[in-house]
């Protein structure tokens, strides 16, 4: 069985320009019986991205250790060049050990380059033993 949490329903515009907001931080609590994953099951982070500039680079982190964020700790790394400013539904299977069961957690999306809208961020996960 799978459970989910809607972490953010509305849009957030990320803009790497110095006058823009280059990140969105989402804090949330996971249940104590959150399962980090089993052989064929990991938490899945689903979201919609809409690039607003010709080229963009976006990173995503789960419980980052420090700010500035280190690219080697990214769980999501997106790079694209397109003139098509459409919605793209994406998902990422994440190592469940990055999350803290029964505690506060943080997910961060950051624009390294360009402008992008991120919305409808959902975390799918398992509860219980996962056996």
């Amino acid at each position: 069985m799978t459970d989910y949490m809607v972490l953010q329903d509305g849009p957030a515009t990320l803009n790497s320009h110095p006058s823009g907001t280059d990140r969105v931080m989402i804090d949330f609590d996971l249940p104590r019986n959150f399962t980090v994953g089993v052989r064929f099951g990991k938490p899945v982070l689903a979201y919609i991205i809409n690039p607003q500039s010709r080229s963009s680079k976006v990173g995503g982190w789960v419980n980052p250790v420090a700010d500035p964020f280190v690219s080697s700790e990214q769980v999501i790394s997106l790079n694209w060049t397109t003139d098509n400013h459409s919605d793209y539904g994406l998902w990422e299977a994440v190592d469940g050990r990055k999350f803290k069961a029964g505690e506060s957690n943080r997910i961060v999306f950051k624009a390294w380059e360009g402008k992008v809208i991120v919305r409808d961020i959902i975390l799918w996960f398992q509860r219980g033993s996962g056996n």
Side-chain angles (χ1 to χ4, degrees):
M1 297 292 285
T2 319
D3 203 349
Y4 70 94
M5 297 174 78
V6 177
L7 301 178
Q8 182 166 319
D9 188 22
T13 301
L14 308 180
N15 189 347
S16 64
H17 188 274
S19 65
T21 301
D22 69 344
R23 70 194 72 187
V24 61
M25 290 192 235
I26 303 166
D27 295 311
F28 61 98
D29 294 329
L30 278 173
R32 284 187 296 243
N33 62 349
F34 166 84
T35 302
V36 297
V38 294
R39 185 171 175 213
F40 295 112
K42 290 183 177 182
V44 175
L45 186 61
Y47 50 95
I48 294 175
I49 291 274
N50 185 311
Q52 299 291 293
S53 55
R54 180 150 173 36
S55 64
S56 301
K57 292 181 182 177
V58 175
W61 290 261
V62 173
N63 291 321
V65 176
D67 185 356
F69 304 114
V70 180
S71 61
S72 63
E73 295 178 359
Q74 289 177 230
V75 297
I76 297 166
S77 179
L78 303 170
N79 301 300
W80 62 86
T81 302
T82 183
D83 289 321
N84 185 359
H85 304 303
S86 299
D87 287 346
Y88 296 92
L90 303 171
W91 57 92
E92 183 71 32
V94 179
D95 179 352
R97 295 172 294 183
K98 294 193 172 283
F99 293 98
K100 299 179 275 187
E103 297 181 39
S104 180
N105 289 266
R106 174 173 280 174
I107 290 179
V108 179
F109 283 87
K110 180 182 184 331
W112 296 106
E113 178 184 312
K115 183 177 177 181
V116 65
I117 295 173
V118 61
R119 66 178 177 84
D120 298 345
I121 303 168
I122 299 169
L123 179 66
W124 295 87
F125 59 92
Q126 294 178 333
R127 289 179 183 244
S129 67
N131 295 331

